[in-house]
Amino acid sequence: MSPLRPGRVLEGKVALITGATGGIGRATADLFAREGARLIVTDIDRHALDELVSRIEVTGAEILGARLDVSSAENWDEVIQLTRQRFGRLDVLVNLAGIVDWPGIEDTTQDAWERVIAVNQTGTWLGMKAAMPLLRASGNASVVNTSSVLGLVGSGAAAAYQASKGAVRLLTKTAAVEYATRGVRVNSVHPGVIATPMIQDLLDEQGDRQPDIVRTPMRRAGVPAEVASAMLFLAGDGSSFVTGTELVVDGGLTAY
C-alpha cells in the first residue's frame, strides 16, 4: 500500500502522547484523533487528563488516559503494559512532556537543573526505552521527540532547559540511526515561540514587544495547532523516508 494513501493519516494506528494536557499536547491529541488514531494520552495532572479524555471521547475516538511521571521508569513500564493490554500494539510515540526553568548558569539551582533534566531529557530516553519493543513489533513505527529552537541555538538564559533540549536533539539522531533498519523512524520537532500556557503570561505582558517575537521574521507567536501539524506529518506514513531530522516550527526565528 502506498504511504501516500488517501484518507485519514493515522487510520488504524495506535499513538501514545505524553504531556497531553499542555497546549501543544491537547492540539496534537485532537488532531491525531481526527486523523483516525487510537490514543493513549498521559500527563502528571490526573484531573486535566480526565477532562481531555472526556472531551475527545464524545467525538467517537478511542482514547485511554493514564497518569505518567515521565521521569519514572516504573511509571513508563506500567503505561506500556496498559497499552499492550488495551490495544496490543503501538505505532506512534510522541514525547511531549516538558518543563522550563528560565535562569542562566549562575542562578540555576542544582535542584532545578536535575528536575528539568529528569523530565525533558531522561523522560524522553525512558519513553523510547520502554516503548521500543512494541514499536519495533509494529514494523512501521514513528517516534516524535520534542526539542526546541533552544536545542539548536543559544539564548543566554534557561541553562537547564537548553541543555536538556540539545540532548533530546542528539538522542533523537542516535536513536534514528540505531533503529533505521528495525522499523522505527525517530525525529525531533523544534518549536519556536508558541502561545502555550507555559509562556502565555510572558506573551500577555510583552505582546509583540517580546524579544523572540521581534526577532521572528513572521513577527508573531505560533499556535499549538501549527506544531501539532508537524507532529502529524512525522507520525504518518507520508514521512516514511524521514528519520533523524529536525523539523523546526519557529516562524523563521532560526533562519538568520
Side-chain angles (χ1 to χ4, degrees):
M1 182 178 293
S2 167
L4 300 179
R5 66 189 186 280
R8 296 196 294 180
V9 172
L10 299 180
E11 194 72 57
K13 293 185 183 291
V14 175
L16 192 162
I17 303 170
T18 73
T21 70
I24 296 173
R26 288 196 308 272
T28 301
D30 286 341
L31 181 58
F32 279 26
R34 291 196 302 272
E35 291 294 338
R38 294 180 289 166
L39 293 175
I40 308 97
V41 290
T42 74
D43 203 278
I44 201 166
D45 186 336
R46 181 78 244 190
H47 178 68
L49 191 61
D50 289 343
E51 288 185 342
L52 175 66
V53 170
S54 296
R55 180 168 58 77
I56 291 180
E57 274 182 332
V58 301
T59 69
E62 186 174 358
I63 183 170
L64 173 67
R67 186 181 183 278
L68 172 63
D69 175 355
V70 296
S71 68
S72 166
E74 292 77 12
N75 274 194
W76 267 111
D77 288 343
E78 291 167 359
V79 167
I80 294 302
Q81 182 59 24
L82 188 62
T83 302
R84 190 189 306 272
Q85 291 171 349
R86 175 68 176 267
F87 298 106
R89 64 182 296 150
L90 182 63
D91 305 287
V92 178
L93 170 65
V94 179
N95 280 311
L96 248 169
I99 57 176
V100 66
D101 189 55
W102 294 111
I105 298 294
E106 294 181 62
D107 293 327
T108 297
T109 67
Q110 186 169 346
D111 284 347
W113 173 276
E114 291 176 351
R115 182 57 182 158
V116 171
I117 297 300
V119 173
N120 297 359
Q121 179 177 332
T122 305
T124 298
W125 163 66
L126 285 173
M128 289 194 291
K129 179 180 175 68
M132 272 303 174
L134 270 182
L135 291 167
R136 285 191 287 106
S138 163
N140 183 28
S142 173
V143 175
V144 184
N145 292 327
T146 308
S147 181
S148 167
V149 292
L150 297 187
L152 299 171
V153 297
S155 71
Y161 183 78
Q162 292 223 216
S164 70
K165 293 303 186 179
V168 167
R169 171 178 174 262
L170 283 183
L171 179 63
T172 297
K173 289 183 179 297
T174 197
V177 174
E178 181 175 356
Y179 292 97
T181 60
R182 302 169 74 183
V184 184
R185 295 180 297 104
V186 189
N187 294 287
S188 57
V189 172
H190 296 251
V193 182
I194 308 298
T196 67
M198 185 181 290
I199 66 165
Q200 193 60 57
D201 289 344
L202 186 61
L203 291 174
D204 290 343
E205 177 184 342
Q206 297 183 339
D208 291 341
R209 296 177 292 106
Q210 209 270 344
D212 284 337
I213 291 180
V214 172
R215 290 195 295 268
T216 298
M218 293 182 73
R219 293 296 191 273
R220 67 172 177 87
V223 298
E226 292 173 310
V227 183
S229 293
M231 301 282 186
L232 178 66
F233 168 69
L234 292 175
D237 292 344
S239 58
S240 58
F241 199 53
V242 179
T243 197
T245 198
E246 303 150 355
L247 181 46
V248 181
V249 187
D250 72 347
L253 181 60
T254 57
Y256 289 108

